[in-house]
């Protein structure tokens, strides 16, 4: 059974930083493209960032470029999202996801496995 557990979400002031982590089990982590997604109340889930199996290809949503950094540690089955210069509009539930499809993608429909999410709240 595949299990992905996110952590690191919190309440933070605008301009602050957070580092999210996602630890996966039950799959060969290095064989999966990984992604971070977020969903704010009343809005659709949107892609934040995606990273290829060996970290050679990375995509970011325009809204987070230059502020967020995705990375992965295949030896420890862990995905990270470093979030800097946080804004109130970054407030959302953040999810990690895994896909066996070949290439990184910000499209949620391409992902097979999902974590339960971690809440990020940015106060103004």
């Amino acid at each position: 059974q595949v299990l992905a557990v996110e952590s690191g979400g919190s309440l933070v002031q605008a301009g602050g930083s957070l580092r999210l982590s996602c630890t996966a089990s039950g799959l060969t982590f290095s064989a999966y493209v990984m992604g971070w997604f977020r969903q704010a109340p009343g809005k659709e889930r949107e892609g934040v960032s995606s990273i290829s199996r060996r970290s050679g290809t990375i995509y970011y949503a325009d809204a987070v470029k230059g502020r967020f950094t995705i990375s992965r540690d295949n030896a420890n089955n862990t995905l990270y999202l470093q979030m800097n210069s946080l804004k109130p509009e970054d407030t959302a539930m953040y999810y990690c996801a895994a896909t066996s499809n070949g290439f990184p993608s910000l499209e949620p429909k391409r992902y097979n496995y999902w974590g339960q999410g971690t809440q990020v709240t940015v106060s103004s």
Side-chain angles (χ1 to χ4, degrees), residues 79-101:
L79 177 72
Y80 300 100
L81 185 68
Q82 177 66 43
M83 305 188 297
N84 299 328
S85 302
L86 283 161
K87 304 176 181 180
E89 51 263 44
D90 294 318
T91 295
M93 185 72 77
Y94 282 71
Y95 300 89
C96 71
T99 177
S100 55
N101 290 323

Side-chain angles (χ1 to χ4, degrees), residues 40-60:
K43 295 187 177 181
E44 292 187 354
R45 190 169 297 190
E46 63 177 359
V48 174
S49 184
S50 180
I51 186 168
S52 62
R53 297 180 181 96
R54 297 184 180 182
S55 305
T57 301
I58 290 173
Y59 296 154
Y60 293 102

Side-chain angles (χ1 to χ4, degrees), residues 6 13 23 29 31 33 38 41 46 55 57 59 63 77 108 120:
E6 301 94 337
Q13 288 189 335
T23 301
F29 185 78
V33 167
R38 66 186 182 185
E46 63 177 359
S55 305
T57 301
Y59 296 154
N77 289 7
V120 172

Side-chain angles (χ1 to χ4, degrees), residues 10-120:
S10 181
L11 171 64
V12 63
Q13 288 189 335
S17 297
L18 285 175
R19 189 192 196 198
L20 306 184
S21 299
C22 169
T23 301
S25 60
L27 77 170
T28 303
F29 185 78
S30 61
Y32 283 76
V33 167
M34 299 297 296
W36 284 102
F37 296 81
R38 66 186 182 185
Q39 188 168 17
K43 295 187 177 181
E44 292 187 354
R45 190 169 297 190
E46 63 177 359
V48 174
S49 184
S50 180
I51 186 168
S52 62
R53 297 180 181 96
R54 297 184 180 182
S55 305
T57 301
I58 290 173
Y59 296 154
Y60 293 102
D62 288 343
V64 307
K65 281 181 182 176
R67 301 188 298 121
F68 291 10
T69 303
I70 192 172
S71 61
R72 64 189 296 165
D73 179 351
N74 287 346
N76 291 296
N77 289 7
T78 304
L79 177 72
Y80 300 100
L81 185 68
Q82 177 66 43
M83 305 188 297
N84 299 328
S85 302
L86 283 161
K87 304 176 181 180
E89 51 263 44
D90 294 318
T91 295
M93 185 72 77
Y94 282 71
Y95 300 89
C96 71
T99 177
S100 55
N101 290 323
F103 301 98
S105 171
L106 298 181
E107 175 54 58
K109 294 179 180 179
R110 295 196 61 189
Y111 287 76
N112 310 105
Y113 303 107
W114 292 83
Q116 294 299 306
T118 186
Q119 178 68 39
V120 172

